[in-house]
Amino acid sequence: MAPLTLEAYARDLVCLDRLAGEAGLALPQVQPHHVRRWSATLHGEGRSGRTLARVLSAWRGLFRWLGRQGGLTHNPVEGVRAPKAPKPLPKALSVDQSMQLADLQRTDTDPVLEARDRCLVELLYGCGLRISELVGLDVQASGVARGWIDLTAGEAQVLGKGGKRRSVPIGAAAQQALAAWLVIRPGLVKQDAAPLFLGRRGTRLTAEQIRSRLKQRAIEAGVPTHVHPHMLRHSFASHLLQSSGDLRAVQELLGHANISTTQVYTKLDFQHLAKVYDAAHPRAKRSNNR
């Protein structure tokens, strides 16, 4: 599992140990009513339904492991469910805001980093890549590459969730940004020449560095919201669906295993259509006297 996931599970298990200790209980003595009460307590402290679902999953896994070790005869977390978590709609930029960000050209900064950062934006928005997929890109294919760029075919080969590979077409703007970056990229190469995106020290750019650069770039572009890499993926999907209406194609391009994951963008598309209707249709406008 990812390091952040492991850290979260560790906190959840420390929390369980604390709650059981405060109740004067050893773990084998924990009963379902204890778990329900603790879950309600955490919910009252502000834990979201999504967070509680993860907490209960961690607790359930621990008790299941204890059962295999012969430490208990029942799992007190089985049957206990977290409150249903509302599913917020993904936040996407408008088309104008996306263009505002992608078209930003800074002349008062290092031209090497400027070319790199423009390329980052074009691949995130133009290809709908996850941050992990972007970080894993190499200049070319190899036996150890997680992903790579095939400029001849105009495609990015990426490694998505679940270890699934997919090909993503690279649009004309992204190809131009890639070409400009690849011309001056050798100036940053020191030891590892494989990564597509390098930092000043010649090492592979990290996800945190990309988030920081994107946030700063959005501020300089005048985008009136906090921009993060996944927001550009949401924007890619939303704008593509608005233009094509092809949900299956969007699913394939995003690398979603289940169409239900992609369907959330139909709600964003409906919101867009509703705004267009409210702004343009004469019957949508209400009199101020009503």
Side-chain angles (χ1 to χ4, degrees):
M1 294 181 177
L4 290 178
T5 302
L6 295 176
E7 290 176 15
Y9 282 152
R11 290 194 301 270
D12 297 338
L13 297 181
V14 168
C15 177
L16 172 64
D17 186 58
R18 174 180 60 81
L19 292 168
E22 291 173 353
L25 299 169
L27 289 181
Q29 297 174 305
V30 173
Q31 300 297 317
H33 68 271
H34 295 126
V35 176
R36 292 191 183 93
R37 184 171 71 244
W38 296 337
S39 177
T41 299
L42 294 176
H43 188 50
E45 293 175 353
R47 307 287 180 94
S48 68
R50 186 186 297 272
T51 298
L52 284 175
R54 188 205 66 223
V55 170
L56 291 173
S57 176
W59 293 1
R60 193 177 296 113
L62 175 63
F63 282 110
R64 190 176 295 133
W65 178 82
L66 286 173
R68 290 198 300 267
Q69 304 304 311
L72 46 80
T73 58
H74 70 287
N75 190 330
V77 191
E78 291 297 347
V80 180
R81 295 290 179 265
K84 190 172 182 179
K87 293 184 178 180
L89 291 178
K91 295 181 179 179
L93 298 175
S94 68
V95 173
D96 287 344
Q97 289 171 341
S98 299
M99 294 300 97
Q100 191 175 335
L101 176 60
D103 291 339
L104 174 67
Q105 296 189 40
R106 297 179 301 183
T107 57
D108 58 345
T109 188
D110 186 331
V112 176
L113 300 185
E114 173 64 11
R116 183 199 65 190
D117 292 350
R118 290 199 66 184
C119 189
L120 288 171
V121 171
E122 289 291 353
L123 286 179
L124 286 170
Y125 175 58
C127 300
L129 300 185
R130 297 180 177 94
I131 182 68
S132 59
E133 295 167 350
L134 185 75
V135 169
L137 287 175
D138 283 356
V139 175
Q140 58 188 16
S142 71
V144 296
R146 289 164 51 196
W148 60 87
I149 294 294
D150 186 343
L151 276 179
T152 303
E155 296 176 347
Q157 304 292 331
V158 299
L159 184 65
K161 284 187 175 180
K164 295 181 179 179
R165 291 198 176 275
R166 73 182 190 282
S167 299
V168 182
I170 303 173
Q175 288 192 44
Q176 291 175 3
L178 267 169
W181 163 236
L182 290 174
V183 167
I184 59 179
R185 173 185 166 278
L188 289 179
V189 174
K190 293 181 180 178
Q191 295 181 343
D192 189 356
L196 175 62
F197 293 112
L198 300 164
R200 291 179 183 273
R201 297 180 180 179
T203 56
R204 186 183 297 273
L205 211 60
T206 67
E208 192 55 42
Q209 287 173 320
I210 293 173
R211 290 189 187 96
S212 177
R213 299 293 294 186
L214 181 59
K215 177 182 177 181
Q216 183 59 37
R217 194 170 185 84
I219 292 172
E220 294 181 11
V223 179
T225 186
H226 169 62
V227 177
H228 52 82
H230 217 68
M231 182 180 284
L232 293 186
R233 178 172 161 87
H234 291 324
S235 304
F236 163 85
S238 177
H239 300 163
L240 193 61
L241 187 60
Q242 287 172 17
S243 299
S244 69
D246 192 334
L247 191 64
R248 286 289 181 185
V250 176
Q251 177 192 4
E252 291 294 325
L253 290 170
L254 290 176
H256 286 163
N258 196 316
I259 190 68
S260 63
T261 308
T262 318
Q263 284 174 331
V264 66
Y265 295 107
T266 62
K267 297 180 180 178
L268 287 182
D269 189 34
F270 180 80
Q271 284 187 343
H272 167 74
L273 293 174
K275 289 179 180 178
V276 171
Y277 173 80
D278 288 340
H281 197 285
R283 287 298 196 186
K285 299 175 182 178
R286 298 185 179 182
S287 170
N288 293 331
N289 296 327
R290 293 182 181 179

